[in-house]
Amino acid sequence: MHPSFKIPFNHLDTHGKELDYIRQAIQLGHVSGDGTFTKRCSDILEKELGVRKALLTTSCTHALEMISILLNIGPGDEVIVPSFTFVSTVNAFVLRGAKPVFIDIREDTLNIDENHLKKLITKKTKAIIPVHYAGVACEMNVIMKVANEYGIPVIEDNAHGLFGKYDGKNLGTIGAMSTLSFHETKNFSCGEGGALLINDEKYVQRAEIIREKGTNRSKYFRGQVDKYSWVDIGSSYLISDILSAFMYGQLEERKKIQSNRKRIWNCYYENLYSWAEENKVRLPIVPELCDQAYHMFYMIMPSLEKRQELISFLKSKSILSVFHYVPLHLSDMGQKFGFEKGDLPNTEILSDRLLRLPFYTNLSENDQEAVVNAVREFKVDENQESVANVVNKELKIGKDNIF
Ligand SMILES: *Cc1c(COP(=O)(O)O)cnc(C)c1O
């Protein structure tokens, strides 16, 4: 990715026996779905996290599509989703006819603001889909309480948060189901891949069928039926065992990977703290109940202009920093659903100002020091307003519009 930068934004490395395992997978001869290594990965996820079932998939997008089928989403249904997320969180449900009901985010964690939930719930609401942004948990106690009150399933898009925790619970084990991504940019990766994690037993059997092209092939392989046939709708969501072999190599090294990422995150935080204070830049906030998954290091710059200036400044030093989600409610598709500028003030203000620094497991100490030094050279002028002031001011305008 972007080989022209001396310090890239992201870089996938091997951390253990990934390549040996790929060779083994090929020698074992079962390289399609649900071979030896796919099962080993599922075992780690099920045991380590304590989920009822972990099904590896071709991507997180596909795991979300499976959930959409499992929840019988159809035309006219509504799902409550952040606008500040990757397109798949929403598209998987829109694909089956749902209308996205976008919910604004909290200023501190950039996660969905649980205080807005009740007013967005209608008789048509079929799911609430929190995304644990940057691997820092949403306020799940409140979200689950509201969802249970209305009998609505909660689906955690946990693409960023594998091995993160909230109030002592593993992320991805709190809602009815959750998803993981093993895309190149995530903490654990095999290039492209993902998983569907199921906590509510009632979804397990049908999930296996949907993942196997709508057939009861999984039952057949367990000897529970003597032939397999077409029993439901479905598609091909199984990951090749070659990719699972790579994934298993990564998952085996989970302690090392996460402790490296923690060290890198803490190093950014400690070395940029006073620079951030002086320059009205906001560093990430991790609430007390959250053990974060160290997925990324972002900063909230005081304005869109300053964000763009810092990206260019770092680029001039051959360091790639990037912004993140362009709000979905302002995209062409979002506008087709009737959303417009001003609907989600926090999402709009924060997404304009967010910048992510290079962050990957093998980021060397020298390279990180170069990034830190470059950032500290950048100065924000004194009469620039801080983002906290902007958020409060524009939020007030937003609130006046609502009441
Ligand atoms: C990466 C990501 C996805 C999609 O993951 P794929 O495995 O690429 O399909 C979905 N949601 C979020 C929040 C993501 O960051």
Side-chain angles (χ1 to χ4, degrees):
M1 205 168 137
H2 300 285
S4 53
F5 285 84
K6 209 171 111 262
I7 304 177
F9 171 68
N10 178 60
H11 181 69
L12 173 66
D13 281 299
T14 54
H15 303 289
K17 301 193 188 122
E18 290 93 332
L19 301 178
D20 291 338
Y21 289 153
I22 286 184
R23 197 172 298 114
Q24 271 185 45
I26 293 165
Q27 280 162 358
L28 285 167
H30 181 140
V31 291
S32 57
D34 285 337
T36 307
F37 287 99
T38 307
K39 292 201 181 91
R40 285 190 191 168
C41 290
S42 301
D43 280 351
I44 286 191
L45 294 172
E46 284 168 10
K47 295 215 174 86
E48 189 92 344
L49 301 175
V51 288
R52 171 67 188 78
K53 192 85 190 170
L55 295 170
L56 262 69
T57 56
T58 28
S59 66
C60 178
T61 301
H62 280 165
L64 287 160
E65 287 179 19
M66 287 179 65
I67 289 174
S68 191
I69 297 172
L70 281 163
L71 296 179
N72 296 311
I73 300 290
D77 290 341
E78 295 176 358
V79 291
I80 298 178
V81 284
S83 161
F84 186 68
T85 184
F86 188 64
V87 62
S88 297
T89 316
V90 181
N91 218 2
F93 298 87
V94 169
L95 199 54
R96 307 210 57 82
K99 172 182 182 286
V101 174
F102 291 115
I103 181 167
D104 208 0
I105 52 174
R106 288 163 53 132
E107 198 258 326
D108 56 354
T109 55
L110 281 59
N111 283 328
I112 63 167
D113 188 337
E114 65 282 358
N115 295 313
H116 295 318
L117 263 183
K118 277 195 179 177
K119 65 173 181 258
L120 296 176
I121 291 175
T122 71
K123 284 202 176 68
K124 298 176 185 162
T125 309
K126 286 287 157 62
I128 297 168
I129 309 162
V131 175
H132 304 302
Y133 186 71
V136 176
C138 297
E139 192 50 58
M140 292 307 287
N141 287 340
V142 178
I143 294 170
M144 292 308 293
K145 189 164 172 283
V146 174
N148 290 337
E149 203 177 302
Y150 291 85
I152 301 167
V154 171
I155 305 302
E156 300 171 72
D157 179 340
N158 195 29
H160 300 180
L162 178 55
F163 302 128
K165 288 185 183 186
Y166 169 82
D167 202 4
K169 299 183 194 102
N170 289 310
L171 298 190
T173 67
I174 305 166
M177 291 181 268
S178 65
T179 61
L180 293 172
S181 173
F182 304 138
H183 181 261
E184 173 185 346
T185 50
K186 304 295 165 31
N187 292 23
F188 299 87
S189 175
C190 57
E192 298 271 7
L196 166 61
L197 307 187
I198 304 176
N199 300 306
D200 188 336
E201 169 75 38
K202 74 174 180 225
Y203 297 112
V204 171
Q205 201 179 346
R206 192 164 174 234
E208 286 185 334
I209 291 167
I210 291 165
R211 180 164 164 270
E212 279 275 23
K213 300 102 181 157
T215 73
N216 55 357
R217 197 159 170 259
S218 300
K219 267 192 168 168
Y220 170 74
F221 279 120
R222 285 197 295 262
Q224 292 165 330
V225 288
D226 52 18
K227 58 181 184 307
Y228 75 86
S229 67
W230 185 24
V231 292
D232 201 337
I233 60 166
S235 191
S236 183
Y237 295 124
L238 283 89
I239 191 169
S240 155
D241 215 51
I242 298 175
L243 289 174
S244 293
F246 194 93
M247 242 350 266
Y248 184 64
Q250 297 250 308
L251 287 174
E252 258 193 343
E253 299 298 333
R254 57 196 178 280
K255 295 254 150 57
K256 183 172 87 186
I257 289 173
Q258 288 303 80
S259 78
N260 270 350
R261 299 183 77 97
K262 180 178 179 178
R263 177 180 49 73
I264 294 165
W265 198 97
N266 286 337
C267 175
Y268 272 139
Y269 194 88
E270 283 155 22
N271 288 294
L272 293 176
Y273 191 84
S274 55
W275 168 83
E277 291 253 287
E278 282 160 29
N279 290 282
K280 304 185 181 85
V281 173
R282 212 206 79 193
L283 297 186
I285 295 169
V286 183
E288 197 151 320
L289 288 180
C290 303
D291 287 329
Q292 64 152 322
Y294 302 101
H295 174 55
M296 72 171 78
F297 194 89
Y298 70 80
M299 311 193 291
I300 307 292
M301 300 298 289
S303 65
L304 172 63
E305 293 69 36
K306 290 294 153 194
R307 195 264 306 265
Q308 297 308 96
E309 278 175 31
L310 180 51
I311 290 177
S312 305
F313 181 70
L314 293 175
K315 201 174 260 180
S316 76
K317 294 180 177 284
S318 202
I319 296 167
L320 182 59
S321 64
V322 292
F323 53 89
H324 210 181
Y325 306 128
V326 178
L328 294 174
H329 74 286
L330 300 180
S331 66
D332 286 352
M333 275 296 279
Q335 289 181 32
K336 279 187 195 154
F337 285 106
F339 291 90
E340 57 185 27
K341 207 164 171 56
D343 283 347
L344 304 172
N346 274 5
T347 299
E348 293 167 26
I349 294 164
L350 294 162
S351 64
D352 270 353
R353 291 162 174 78
L354 185 142
L355 175 152
R356 294 178 289 159
L357 293 176
F359 197 97
Y360 45 92
T361 307
N362 277 2
L363 177 62
S364 72
E365 282 178 33
N366 277 347
D367 282 354
Q368 191 176 18
E369 197 183 322
V371 178
V372 165
N373 289 340
V375 171
R376 278 152 122 182
E377 264 183 59
F378 185 82
K379 299 288 174 221
V380 174
D381 50 50
E382 275 170 29
N383 47 22
Q384 177 77 50
E385 227 175 334
S386 75
V387 70
N389 288 344
V390 179
V391 167
N392 288 335
K393 200 186 295 158
E394 298 198 18
L395 250 189
K396 235 176 251 147
I397 296 166
K399 280 208 178 107
D400 288 346
N401 287 343
I402 291 165
F403 297 117

